[in-house]
Coordinates of all heavy atoms in Angstrom, one line a residue:
E3 N -12.3 35.2 8.8 CA -11.5 34.0 8.7 C -10.4 34.2 7.6 O -10.6 34.8 6.6 CB -12.4 32.8 8.2 CG -13.5 32.4 9.2 CD -13.0 31.9 10.5 OE1 -12.0 31.1 10.5 OE2 -13.6 32.3 11.5
L4 N -9.2 33.8 7.9 CA -8.1 33.9 7.0 C -7.4 32.6 6.8 O -7.0 31.9 7.8 CB -7.1 34.9 7.6 CG -5.8 35.1 6.7 CD1 -6.1 35.7 5.4 CD2 -4.8 36.0 7.5
E5 N -7.4 32.1 5.6 CA -6.6 30.9 5.2 C -5.5 31.3 4.3 O -5.6 32.2 3.4 CB -7.6 30.0 4.4 CG -8.8 29.5 5.1 CD -8.5 28.2 5.8 OE1 -7.4 27.6 5.6 OE2 -9.3 27.8 6.7
C6 N -4.4 30.7 4.5 CA -3.2 31.0 3.6 C -2.8 29.7 2.9 O -3.0 28.6 3.5 CB -2.1 31.6 4.4 SG -2.5 33.2 5.1
E7 N -2.1 29.8 1.8 CA -1.6 28.7 1.0 C -2.7 27.8 0.5 O -2.6 26.6 0.9 CB -0.5 28.0 1.8 CG 0.6 29.0 2.2 CD 1.5 28.4 3.3 OE1 1.6 27.1 3.4 OE2 2.1 29.1 4.0
P8 N -3.6 28.2 -0.2 CA -3.8 29.5 -0.9 C -4.6 30.4 0.0 O -5.3 30.1 0.9 CB -4.6 29.1 -2.1 CG -5.5 28.0 -1.7 CD -4.6 27.2 -0.8
A9 N -4.4 31.7 -0.4 CA -5.1 32.8 0.4 C -6.6 32.7 0.2 O -7.1 32.5 -1.0 CB -4.6 34.1 0.0
G10 N -7.4 32.9 1.2 CA -8.8 32.9 1.1 C -9.5 33.1 2.5 O -8.8 33.5 3.4
G11 N -10.8 32.9 2.5 CA -11.5 33.1 3.7 C -12.3 34.4 3.6 O -12.4 35.0 2.5
S12 N -12.9 34.9 4.7 CA -13.7 36.1 4.6 C -12.9 37.3 4.9 O -13.5 38.4 5.0 CB -14.9 35.9 5.6 OG -14.4 35.8 6.9
H13 N -11.6 37.2 5.2 CA -10.8 38.4 5.4 C -10.9 39.3 4.2 O -10.7 38.9 3.1 CB -9.4 38.0 5.7 CG -8.5 39.1 6.3 ND1 -8.0 40.1 5.6 CD2 -8.1 39.3 7.6 CE1 -7.4 40.9 6.4 NE2 -7.4 40.4 7.7
P14 N -11.1 40.6 4.4 CA -11.2 41.5 3.3 C -10.0 41.7 2.4 O -10.2 42.0 1.2 CB -11.6 42.9 3.9 CG -11.3 42.8 5.4 CD -11.2 41.3 5.7
V15 N -8.8 41.5 2.9 CA -7.6 41.6 2.0 C -6.8 40.3 2.3 O -5.6 40.4 2.8 CB -6.8 42.9 2.3 CG1 -7.6 44.1 1.7 CG2 -6.6 43.1 3.7
A16 N -7.3 39.2 2.1 CA -6.7 37.9 2.4 C -5.3 37.8 1.8 O -4.3 37.3 2.5 CB -7.6 36.7 2.0
R17 N -5.1 38.1 0.5 CA -3.8 37.9 -0.2 C -2.8 38.8 0.5 O -1.7 38.3 0.8 CB -4.0 38.2 -1.6 CG -2.7 38.3 -2.4 CD -2.2 36.9 -2.9 NE -1.3 36.3 -1.8 CZ -1.2 35.0 -1.6 NH1 -1.8 34.1 -2.2 NH2 -0.3 34.6 -0.6
Q18 N -3.1 40.0 0.8 CA -2.1 40.9 1.4 C -1.8 40.5 2.8 O -0.6 40.5 3.3 CB -2.6 42.4 1.4 CG -2.7 43.0 0.0 CD -4.1 42.8 -0.5 OE1 -4.8 41.8 -0.3 NE2 -4.5 43.8 -1.3
A19 N -2.8 40.0 3.5 CA -2.6 39.5 4.9 C -1.7 38.3 4.9 O -0.8 38.2 5.7 CB -3.9 39.2 5.6
C20 N -1.9 37.3 4.0 CA -1.1 36.2 3.9 C 0.3 36.5 3.5 O 1.3 36.0 4.0 CB -1.7 35.2 2.9 SG -3.2 34.4 3.6
D21 N 0.5 37.5 2.6 CA 1.8 37.9 2.2 C 2.6 38.5 3.4 O 3.7 38.2 3.6 CB 1.7 39.0 1.1 CG 1.3 38.4 -0.2 OD1 1.3 37.2 -0.4 OD2 1.0 39.2 -1.1
R22 N 1.9 39.3 4.3 CA 2.5 39.9 5.4 C 2.9 38.8 6.4 O 4.0 38.8 7.0 CB 1.6 40.8 6.1 CG 2.1 41.5 7.4 CD 3.4 42.3 7.1 NE 4.0 42.7 8.3 CZ 5.3 42.7 8.5 NH1 6.1 42.2 7.6 NH2 5.8 43.1 9.7
L23 N 2.1 37.8 6.6 CA 2.4 36.7 7.5 C 3.6 35.9 7.0 O 4.4 35.4 7.8 CB 1.2 35.8 7.7 CG 0.0 36.3 8.6 CD1 -1.2 35.4 8.4 CD2 0.5 36.5 10.0
A24 N 3.7 35.8 5.7 CA 4.9 35.1 5.1 C 6.2 35.8 5.3 O 7.2 35.2 5.4 CB 4.6 34.8 3.6
Q25 N 6.1 37.1 5.4 CA 7.3 38.0 5.6 C 7.9 37.9 7.0 O 9.1 38.0 7.2 CB 7.0 39.4 5.3 CG 6.7 39.8 3.9 CD 6.2 41.2 3.8 OE1 5.8 41.9 4.8 NE2 6.2 41.7 2.6
L26 N 7.0 37.7 8.0 CA 7.4 37.8 9.4 C 8.6 36.9 9.8 O 9.5 37.3 10.5 CB 6.2 37.6 10.3 CG 5.2 38.8 10.2 CD1 3.9 38.4 10.9 CD2 5.8 40.0 10.8
P27 N 8.6 35.6 9.4 CA 9.7 34.8 9.9 C 11.1 35.3 9.4 O 12.1 35.2 10.1 CB 9.4 33.4 9.3 CG 7.9 33.4 9.1 CD 7.6 34.8 8.8
G28 N 11.1 35.8 8.2 CA 12.3 36.4 7.6 C 12.8 37.6 8.4 O 14.0 38.0 8.4
E29 N 11.9 38.3 9.1 CA 12.2 39.5 9.9 C 12.6 39.1 11.3 O 12.9 40.0 12.1 CB 11.0 40.4 9.9 CG 10.7 41.0 8.5 CD 9.4 41.8 8.6 OE1 8.8 42.1 9.7 OE2 8.9 42.3 7.5
G30 N 12.5 37.8 11.6 CA 12.8 37.3 12.9 C 11.7 37.8 13.9 O 12.0 38.0 15.1
A31 N 10.5 38.1 13.4 CA 9.5 38.7 14.3 C 8.4 37.7 14.6 O 8.0 36.9 13.7 CB 8.9 39.9 13.6
D32 N 7.9 37.7 15.8 CA 6.8 36.9 16.2 C 5.7 37.9 16.7 O 5.7 38.3 17.8 CB 7.1 35.9 17.2 CG 5.9 35.0 17.6 OD1 4.8 35.3 17.2 OD2 6.1 34.0 18.4
P33 N 4.8 38.3 15.8 CA 3.8 39.3 16.2 C 2.8 38.8 17.3 O 2.1 39.6 17.8 CB 3.1 39.6 14.9 CG 3.2 38.3 14.2 CD 4.5 37.7 14.5
F34 N 2.8 37.5 17.5 CA 1.8 36.9 18.4 C 2.3 36.8 19.8 O 1.5 36.5 20.8 CB 1.3 35.6 17.9 CG 0.7 35.6 16.5 CD1 1.4 35.1 15.4 CD2 -0.5 36.2 16.3 CE1 0.9 35.2 14.1 CE2 -1.0 36.4 15.0 CZ -0.3 35.8 14.0
T35 N 3.5 37.2 20.1 CA 4.1 37.2 21.4 C 3.7 38.5 22.1 O 3.8 39.5 21.5 CB 5.6 37.1 21.4 OG1 6.0 35.9 20.7 CG2 6.2 37.1 22.7
P36 N 3.2 38.4 23.3 CA 2.7 39.6 24.0 C 3.9 40.5 24.3 O 5.1 40.0 24.4 CB 2.1 39.1 25.3 CG 2.0 37.6 25.2 CD 2.9 37.2 24.1
V37 N 3.7 41.8 24.6 CA 4.7 42.7 25.0 C 5.1 42.3 26.4 O 4.2 42.1 27.3 CB 4.1 44.2 25.0 CG1 5.1 45.1 25.6 CG2 3.8 44.6 23.5
P38 N 6.4 42.2 26.7 CA 6.8 41.9 28.1 C 6.3 42.9 29.1 O 6.2 44.1 28.8 CB 8.3 41.9 28.0 CG 8.7 41.8 26.5 CD 7.5 42.4 25.8
R39 N 6.0 42.4 30.3 CA 5.4 43.3 31.3 C 6.4 44.4 31.7 O 6.0 45.4 32.1 CB 5.1 42.4 32.6 CG 3.9 41.5 32.4 CD 3.5 40.9 33.7 NE 2.4 40.0 33.5 CZ 1.1 40.4 33.6 NH1 0.8 41.6 33.8 NH2 0.1 39.5 33.5
D40 N 7.7 44.1 31.6 CA 8.7 45.1 32.0 C 9.2 46.0 30.9 O 10.1 46.7 31.0 CB 9.9 44.4 32.7 CG 10.6 43.5 31.8 OD1 10.1 43.2 30.7 OD2 11.7 43.0 32.2

């Protein structure tokens, strides 16, 4: 489990994981979108 703002849950590196998720919008990246079939 990963909770952010504040970081917590059972994730082994919750703080680093939340920091990475916070960076993604600034990169214009959506890591949850599947790879296009083509």
